[in-house]
Amino acid sequence: MSYKLLRALLFRLDPETAHNLALRSLGLMQGIPSACRSVGQRLTVTDRRLRQEIWDLEFGNPIGMAAGFDKNGNVAKAVAALGFGFVEVGTVTPRPQPGNPRPRIFRFPAEETLQNALGFNNRGMAAMKKGLAGQRGAGVPLGINIGKNKDTPVERAEEDYAVLFRELSECCDYFVVNISSPNTPGLRSLQEARIVQSLVRQGREITPRPILVKLAPDLEESVAVELGQAAVDAGAAGIVLTNTTTDYSLVAGADRVGGLSGRVLKQRSFELLECLAAELFGRCLLVSVGGVDSAKEAYRRLRAGASLLQIYTALIFQGPSLVREINRGLGELMARDGVESLEEVIGADR
Ligand SMILES: Cc1cc2nc3c(=O)[nH]c(=O)nc-3n(C[C@H](O)[C@H](O)[C@H](O)COP(=O)(O)O)c2cc1C
């Protein structure tokens, strides 16, 4: 069935119901190794020019699954089979929590935009640990995105991050400290240089895994740069830009809840990448996310200084073959420009 047809059916369902159906299907696929293999063979682009070695890990291509799709890490292996070069699971919190009341995901098809107010609904770190134990060897690097529980007071947030670093260190290849979701009250107030430094320093004492920090697109540019610098000074391996935006003026008719992702976030996410690249390129790894929806856009982000990219919303609107399309397209753009490796592409426009 073409994705156009499947999408017409899925879009008749409430977005979260459709999402859960997709997760269930991926779960079924994951349970049948031959199905996972054959999907992987069809959707994975093998092109040595797209490969990178980062933190002693092999990234087969620069396109990753963004956080929030597989919050519990149940289907990381199946997601990897869609052709991703790496997969990020979470956001996971120490204890299970239900998230905000439904409905809490909304679609804006004309704008290829989603709005979500989920609020870190997840089964908690113990369930994630158990689930991931059976999936090592997903074949691609795996990141865990971590956040605090809603009922943990902001002043005690560091304790939540500490226990997550400790408990999940053996289950992943890198961590992302999420202090930028708009759906947990007070979380964004952790976006302060002193706090970011303390979170990263504490993490470095607990885990040998690379630690990245994920920022919001709604920060003043100078503040985002300051936070990026503070994180890197404290030993962060990279910055993930960006989470969803609370600039509701970007979509006519959007309620003032949650965060917007997809096409309306594209330009803002790009601008923030350029700002951080101006200060931090070469000092840490930049991961660009927000409105990446084509090979052309992916190429632009790489040339602006991102080493890795992530997608979420465009996958919902364009379907699972998008990853293959982007990777093939990147190969074509590289051939057009006569470049032989991503190293020559990354940061070329700076
Ligand atoms: C339904 C939904 C849930 C999300 N959940 C999380 C999350 O739990 N943690 C997080 O760091 N980002 C989360 N995000 C943000 C994405 O990881 C990403 O930063 C953002 O959507 C921008 O990328 P996109 O435009 O490709 O979707 C979520 C996004 C969506 C649409």
Side-chain angles (χ1 to χ4, degrees):
M1 192 194 294
S2 76
Y3 187 68
K4 221 169 163 185
L5 190 58
L6 181 62
R7 192 183 106 152
L9 295 172
L10 285 173
F11 277 24
R12 295 177 79 111
L13 303 173
D14 153 74
E16 192 165 348
T17 307
H19 181 74
N20 289 337
L21 199 61
L23 287 180
R24 267 206 293 280
S25 311
L26 286 165
L28 280 175
M29 180 175 116
Q30 190 166 277
I32 311 169
S34 60
C36 238
R37 254 197 318 278
S38 88
V39 169
Q41 274 160 9
R42 228 154 40 87
L43 296 180
T44 305
V45 173
T46 309
D47 181 340
R48 59 169 180 75
R49 294 171 306 167
L50 298 180
R51 265 192 224 143
Q52 295 180 83
E53 199 177 303
I54 301 170
W55 311 314
D56 284 334
L57 301 165
E58 168 107 357
F59 288 72
N61 69 69
I63 311 299
M65 179 77 237
F69 182 83
D70 182 10
K71 286 191 186 263
N72 296 300
N74 287 332
V75 293
K77 210 168 181 166
V79 171
L82 303 179
F84 284 103
F86 64 111
V87 174
E88 192 171 308
V89 298
T91 296
V92 61
T93 55
R95 286 164 283 112
Q97 61 178 34
N100 294 321
R102 287 172 78 160
R104 49 193 183 174
I105 309 181
F106 310 93
R107 298 186 195 99
F108 294 91
E111 292 86 357
E112 293 208 359
T113 288
L114 291 176
Q115 182 171 28
N116 94 83
L118 288 166
F120 295 167
N121 53 313
N122 78 103
R123 295 209 196 116
M125 65 183 182
M128 176 175 279
K129 194 172 177 176
K130 204 163 151 209
L132 285 176
Q135 292 180 72
R136 284 321 290 278
V140 300
L142 180 91
I144 298 184
N145 182 305
I146 57 175
K148 75 166 202 74
N149 274 111
K150 183 179 179 181
D151 60 6
T152 300
V154 173
E155 314 77 63
R156 301 191 63 174
E158 285 194 27
E159 294 170 29
D160 275 11
Y161 290 95
V163 74
L164 288 156
F165 282 130
R166 199 169 297 121
E167 287 302 310
L168 296 172
S169 186
E170 292 308 311
C171 309
C172 67
D173 296 305
Y174 71 89
F175 279 107
V176 175
V177 176
N178 185 0
I179 47 173
S180 50
S181 164
N183 300 317
T184 296
L187 191 80
R188 283 186 170 190
S189 70
L190 299 175
Q191 292 182 129
E192 201 183 288
R194 181 185 53 83
I195 300 174
V196 167
Q197 288 210 313
S198 175
L199 284 169
V200 174
R201 284 211 182 98
Q202 141 178 290
R204 298 259 296 158
E205 279 169 21
I206 298 170
T207 172
R209 307 278 171 243
I211 296 171
L212 290 79
V213 176
K214 186 166 179 178
L215 298 178
D218 308 308
L219 294 165
E220 286 282 331
E221 288 172 1
S222 59
V223 174
V225 168
E226 185 203 355
L227 289 174
Q229 276 169 336
V232 174
D233 289 346
I239 308 292
V240 182
L241 305 153
T242 65
N243 216 312
T244 55
T245 177
T246 53
D247 180 357
Y248 305 112
S249 70
L250 291 168
V251 179
D255 285 336
R256 300 181 65 79
V257 296
L260 298 164
S261 58
R263 194 190 286 161
V264 298
L265 179 56
K266 184 187 286 190
Q267 191 51 26
R268 180 63 192 152
S269 174
F270 181 75
E271 285 165 8
L272 221 47
L273 168 65
E274 278 191 313
C275 274
L276 264 84
E279 298 298 326
L280 291 176
F281 185 77
R283 284 188 63 207
C284 75
L285 191 101
L286 297 171
V287 181
S288 185
V289 51
V292 177
D293 57 1
S294 64
K296 193 169 146 233
E297 184 60 23
Y299 201 54
R300 182 165 88 121
R301 305 279 174 119
L302 293 166
R303 290 182 62 95
S307 296
L308 296 172
L309 313 173
Q310 293 178 320
I311 57 177
Y312 188 149
T313 303
L315 196 72
I316 307 303
F317 288 100
Q318 297 190 46
S321 59
L322 177 64
V323 188
R324 181 180 60 188
E325 235 167 75
I326 292 180
N327 280 321
R328 280 187 181 157
L330 282 176
E332 284 161 18
L333 289 165
M334 290 168 76
R336 181 198 69 185
D337 293 346
V339 292
E340 277 300 314
S341 72
L342 279 185
E343 209 182 346
E344 293 172 70
V345 176
I346 293 166
D349 279 347
R350 290 182 53 253

